[in-house]
Amino acid sequence: MSRSSRPRRRATLATLAAELKVSRTTVSNAYNRPDQLSPELRNRVLAAAKEMGYSGPDPVARSLRMRRADTVGLLLDQPLNYTFRDPAAVDFVAGVADACDAAGRSLLIVPTGGSRDAQAAAEVVNRASVDGFVAYSVSGDNPYLAAALERHVPVVVCDQPTGLEGVVLVGIDDRAAMASLAKHVLAAGHRQIGIMTMRLTTDFRDGVVPLDEALDSTFSVQRDRIQGIADVASDYGDEVSITVMQTGSHNRESGAAAARSIMEVAPNITVLVCTSDVLALGAMTWAAGAGVSVPSDLSITGFDGTRDAQRADLTTVVQPSELKGKRAGEILMSLPAAHSSRSEYLDTTLRQGSTLAPPRRRP
Amino acid sequence: MSRSSRPRRRATLATLAAELKVSRTTVSNAYNRPDQLSPELRNRVLAAAKEMGYSGPDPVARSLRMRRADTVGLLLDQPLNYTFRDPAAVDFVAGVADACDAAGRSLLIVPTGGSRDAQAAAEVVNRASVDGFVAYSVSGDNPYLAAALERHVPVVVCDQPTGLEGVVLVGIDDRAAMASLAKHVLAAGHRQIGIMTMRLTTDFRDGVVPLDEALDSTFSVQRDRIQGIADVASDYGDEVSITVMQTGSHNRESGAAAARSIMEVAPNITVLVCTSDVLALGAMTWAAGAGVSVPSDLSITGFDGTRDAQRADLTTVVQPSELKGKRAGEILMSLPAAHSSRSEYLDTTLRQGSTLAPPRRRP
DNA sequence: TTGAAAGCGCTAACAG
DNA sequence: CTGTTAGCGCTTTCAA
């Protein structure tokens, strides 16, 4: 039955071994432990493999046997086409990919686009052939994250949710970072502050939100950033008035729309402090279109320090998004071993751009 | 031995079955064929699973048995942190993810960041637990693509390389699309044309490239776009002079640098036709910094139609990047079945922005 | 409805 | 250096 080439069925390690009249171990070794057999034999095996169209051990079978998939799962809070609109998120993903790359692992993007139904989420998460998950900035009640946690595999969370029992977190000190920016805003003389934030709840509503409600959000990142502003504002007592506007979507268009609304609601606002660069850039677009000049008529600040923000010379908080991804990936891959891993907080810096200035003196 | 909770080792379908004193089939059915057992029994199984910390059939074992991974592999030509600098690529990936999402498949990003060594590439590709690959705009000699092809799994290629035997391609007619833009450029009166293109060879060299050498590139996308310009230019005979500048990297900084160089080399150029929006936007940045006003001093055109380009009101060719990704994914997943699949060419449109105008009359 | 049996393709002791 | 043996955890006929 030694018909040359074109095997009637997919070649396997066993068929190859049979063909060569060697044991399966030998063939396996040819691929995984070259030092365990003579070079000639190894070459003979490899040559026969090529001839039979065998491209090495089946990765699935290998994973089953080795009990490890060599793959990192990535959990996002929103569909990819949406997530990718945010340069900070893109940088994060690139960072994770980078870490995977360096460790020879693959990166599996879990399809979290669908429903938020717990049942469906669990199914998707449980069907992912991965050794662990990195969750990027998902809400506290994200069902995919819950399912990942249930699965008893290592999980590293980035940004939020914070305070999960026994879960390593990679993030920044959002509250302090925003506070440092807020200090400049208030020191510049601003007292009528508009805050633009992305969603504070899982639904996609937009509009004005009472400050104390915002400070109660399950999205801790937004909440902490707003808290950072409130912290500083409280030093100024009643002088300061804060209006919070939530945008349903996180893209420039929403930012522009939100800027328009908030200025309608509270026209005496002199600064828009945004919880992301994307929203701030949207506000800039609105301002440009509305003939509002920045910063002389209105100051605008961002958060993230994306390349786009740097280009626009935005005053913003710069955080190391790509590094966060890299660290998240690295920590995850070291996790089962180094179970002692502690959460990690990375540094941020303030970028003094040209979009913050003292408020125009009221007539 | 029926110790409640905390199993000493990972629960499996078999241990669950034993615990419940039912067969493995029954447990399997509880997950995969709910209609094959009574609802009570099923609930009993599910409850016991929860109790024992069993989160459903192991995906790897399942894949081995079913002989399918339910995962699509993605092959990129460059590391992710690099690829993601290009909004068109980001859109493409989002499109593939979208298609996967809709089909309940995962998306596996193959770590192609490393060497271009054939051996290493084959190893990485062969270790990916996927049912097929989508390759995005890789060079004709990309070793990862070669390995994927060797593996005898379905492969869908996007953009390039073209003309691969028995491989479905999703793309656009680059040559015609660029020609339609070039017609406008020449009709506007431009005769001294600068072409800015991303790399034409696998190495990362930058500098001026002879036109005929550019038309011989293994990167068919770049080549075809340049060919499109050449096609139209040939109608004008010797009147037209073309200078081609290659950028080593594909990002705005490189675009800016290339714009500076090419204008130094050929100062009488009146229009920069760029093979991507990223390069065109880089050129715009350079122009703004150099006090060259667009389009009155210099016209600049792009290619892709990214959101950034629309914002900058660039004159460019708009191609449906996200749709390309979606179609590539869909076709791949339908492939083993519908083996009759044909390559697919999507439509492009010309976007008349404000960065192309007749050349300033020479003094 | 349920159960028994037969692998999917591979790796890792362990013994030769 | 090579072969034998024993599963990894699961799905799926086929019978009961």
Side-chain angles (χ1 to χ4, degrees):
Chain A
M1 272 296 169
S2 73
R3 332 162 84 270
S4 76
S5 71
R6 299 297 126 144
R8 41 190 65 242
R9 43 172 310 160
R10 190 146 126 25
T12 71
L13 189 145
T15 56
L16 225 193
E19 185 76 16
L20 284 162
K21 300 196 199 311
V22 300
S23 80
R24 311 218 292 289
T25 308
T26 301
V27 179
S28 178
N29 282 339
Y31 286 95
N32 304 316
R33 309 196 174 168
D35 53 311
Q36 296 296 294
L37 68 170
S38 67
E40 309 88 73
L41 180 53
R42 175 156 192 260
N43 287 334
R44 207 151 65 81
V45 172
L46 265 27
K50 183 157 229 169
E51 155 102 17
M52 296 180 67
Y54 177 70
S55 42
D58 179 304
V60 173
R62 178 196 181 80
S63 288
L64 176 60
R65 181 61 235 235
M66 315 250 312
R67 328 210 62 238
R68 114 188 112 77
D70 281 336
T71 302
V72 170
L74 181 62
L75 258 26
L76 270 4
D77 204 54
Q78 294 173 45
L80 219 55
N81 53 5
Y82 203 90
T83 299
F84 280 179
R85 292 273 200 104
D86 178 2
V90 169
D91 282 349
F92 177 83
V93 176
V96 179
D98 212 34
C100 290
D101 226 281
R105 252 80 153 196
S106 300
L107 177 61
L108 185 88
I109 303 208
V110 179
T112 51
S115 73
R116 295 188 67 89
D117 170 51
Q119 174 95 16
E123 187 145 322
V124 168
V125 167
N126 289 330
R127 270 169 153 54
S129 300
V130 301
D131 301 318
F133 294 94
V134 168
Y136 177 65
S137 204
V138 307
S139 71
D141 58 2
N142 183 291
Y144 294 92
L145 175 58
L149 260 16
E150 279 285 302
R151 210 178 127 174
H152 303 296
V153 290
V155 172
V156 170
V157 157
C158 182
D159 288 345
Q160 55 187 3
T162 52
L164 243 36
E165 183 78 34
V167 172
V168 178
L169 184 133
V170 174
I172 58 171
D173 187 339
D174 286 290
R175 186 167 172 175
M178 189 56 115
S180 83
L181 192 161
K183 276 196 190 104
H184 284 265
V185 169
L186 283 146
H190 294 279
R191 295 298 178 266
Q192 308 296 322
I193 299 177
I195 296 180
M196 296 195 0
T197 175
M198 48 192 129
R199 64 212 173 98
L200 297 166
T201 55
T202 308
D203 47 11
F204 290 74
R205 234 176 3 201
D206 45 18
V208 172
V209 179
L211 180 59
D212 50 352
E213 201 172 287
L215 295 177
D216 221 49
S217 169
T218 60
F219 282 91
S220 53
V221 168
Q222 309 309 312
R223 185 190 62 213
D224 290 352
R225 290 182 191 171
I226 296 172
Q227 183 69 62
I229 305 168
D231 289 346
V232 178
S234 73
D235 292 346
Y236 291 77
D238 288 346
E239 280 180 61
V240 181
S241 112
I242 294 179
T243 307
V244 180
M245 170 68 62
Q246 173 182 202
T247 67
S249 301
H250 188 228
N251 54 48
R252 291 202 195 182
E253 294 71 35
S254 286
R260 182 166 48 66
S261 320
I262 196 172
M263 294 309 291
E264 258 169 41
V265 173
N268 55 347
I269 282 174
T270 59
V271 60
L272 290 179
V273 177
C274 305
T275 62
S276 84
D277 286 345
V278 167
L279 297 182
L281 291 169
M284 299 271 286
T285 304
W286 164 78
V292 172
S293 82
V294 178
S296 57
D297 294 335
L298 178 70
S299 289
I300 295 178
T301 67
F303 199 110
D304 282 340
T306 60
R307 272 179 283 274
D308 286 344
Q310 319 246 6
R311 261 180 225 124
D313 201 21
L314 202 64
T315 294
T316 190
V317 172
V318 181
Q319 65 165 319
S321 297
E322 187 163 347
L323 180 60
K324 281 200 302 190
K326 188 151 177 254
R327 288 303 298 146
E330 287 171 350
I331 293 173
L332 179 69
M333 292 186 280
S334 77
L335 217 46
H339 210 310
S340 54
S341 284
R342 280 267 133 268
S343 293
E344 207 167 295
Y345 293 87
L346 308 180
D347 290 334
T348 59
T349 58
L350 189 61
R351 180 181 193 284
Q352 308 259 22
S354 59
T355 61
L356 172 62
R360 177 196 291 290
R361 174 156 267 126
R362 294 264 147 208
Chain B
M1 274 294 169
S2 73
R3 332 163 84 271
S4 76
S5 71
R6 300 295 127 142
R8 39 191 64 243
R9 41 174 312 159
R10 192 145 127 27
T12 72
L13 188 145
T15 58
L16 225 194
E19 185 76 16
L20 283 162
K21 301 196 199 310
V22 299
S23 80
R24 313 215 297 282
T25 310
T26 301
V27 178
S28 177
N29 283 338
Y31 285 95
N32 304 316
R33 307 194 174 169
D35 54 311
Q36 296 296 294
L37 68 169
S38 67
E40 309 89 71
L41 180 55
R42 174 156 194 261
N43 287 335
R44 207 152 65 80
V45 172
L46 264 28
K50 182 157 230 168
E51 156 102 18
M52 297 180 66
Y54 177 70
S55 43
D58 179 304
V60 174
R62 178 197 182 82
S63 288
L64 176 59
R65 180 60 233 236
M66 315 251 307
R67 327 210 63 242
R68 114 188 112 78
D70 281 336
T71 301
V72 169
L74 181 61
L75 258 26
L76 270 5
D77 204 53
Q78 294 172 46
L80 219 53
N81 53 3
Y82 203 89
T83 299
F84 280 179
R85 293 274 199 103
D86 178 2
V90 169
D91 282 348
F92 177 83
V93 176
V96 179
D98 212 36
C100 289
D101 226 282
R105 250 81 152 196
S106 299
L107 177 62
L108 186 88
I109 303 205
V110 179
T112 51
S115 72
R116 296 187 67 89
D117 170 51
Q119 173 96 13
E123 188 146 319
V124 167
V125 166
N126 289 329
R127 270 166 153 55
S129 300
V130 302
D131 301 319
F133 294 93
V134 168
Y136 176 64
S137 206
V138 307
S139 71
D141 57 3
N142 183 291
Y144 295 91
L145 175 58
L149 260 16
E150 278 285 302
R151 208 177 128 174
H152 303 297
V153 291
V155 173
V156 169
V157 157
C158 182
D159 287 345
Q160 57 189 2
T162 52
L164 244 36
E165 182 79 34
V167 172
V168 178
L169 183 133
V170 174
I172 58 172
D173 186 339
D174 286 290
R175 186 168 173 173
M178 188 56 114
S180 84
L181 192 160
K183 275 196 190 102
H184 284 265
V185 169
L186 283 147
H190 294 278
R191 295 298 178 267
Q192 309 296 322
I193 298 177
I195 296 181
M196 295 195 1
T197 176
M198 48 192 128
R199 65 211 174 99
L200 298 166
T201 54
T202 307
D203 48 11
F204 290 74
R205 233 176 3 200
D206 46 18
V208 172
V209 178
L211 179 59
D212 49 352
E213 201 174 286
L215 294 178
D216 221 47
S217 169
T218 60
F219 282 92
S220 54
V221 168
Q222 310 309 314
R223 185 191 62 213
D224 290 353
R225 291 182 190 170
I226 297 171
Q227 183 68 64
I229 304 167
D231 290 345
V232 178
S234 72
D235 293 346
Y236 291 77
D238 289 345
E239 281 180 62
V240 181
S241 113
I242 294 179
T243 307
V244 180
M245 171 69 63
Q246 173 182 201
T247 68
S249 302
H250 187 228
N251 54 47
R252 291 201 196 183
E253 294 71 35
S254 286
R260 181 166 48 68
S261 321
I262 195 173
M263 294 309 290
E264 258 169 40
V265 173
N268 56 346
I269 281 175
T270 59
V271 60
L272 290 179
V273 177
C274 305
T275 62
S276 84
D277 286 346
V278 167
L279 297 182
L281 291 169
M284 299 271 287
T285 304
W286 164 79
V292 172
S293 83
V294 177
S296 57
D297 294 337
L298 179 70
S299 289
I300 295 178
T301 67
F303 199 111
D304 282 340
T306 60
R307 271 179 284 275
D308 286 344
Q310 319 246 5
R311 261 181 225 123
D313 201 21
L314 202 65
T315 295
T316 190
V317 172
V318 180
Q319 66 164 319
S321 298
E322 187 164 347
L323 180 59
K324 280 201 302 189
K326 189 153 178 250
R327 288 303 298 146
E330 287 171 350
I331 293 173
L332 180 68
M333 293 186 278
S334 76
L335 216 47
H339 211 311
S340 56
S341 284
R342 278 267 132 269
S343 292
E344 207 166 294
Y345 292 86
L346 307 180
D347 291 334
T348 59
T349 58
L350 189 61
R351 180 180 193 284
Q352 308 259 20
S354 59
T355 60
L356 172 62
R360 177 196 290 288
R361 175 157 267 127
R362 293 267 147 205

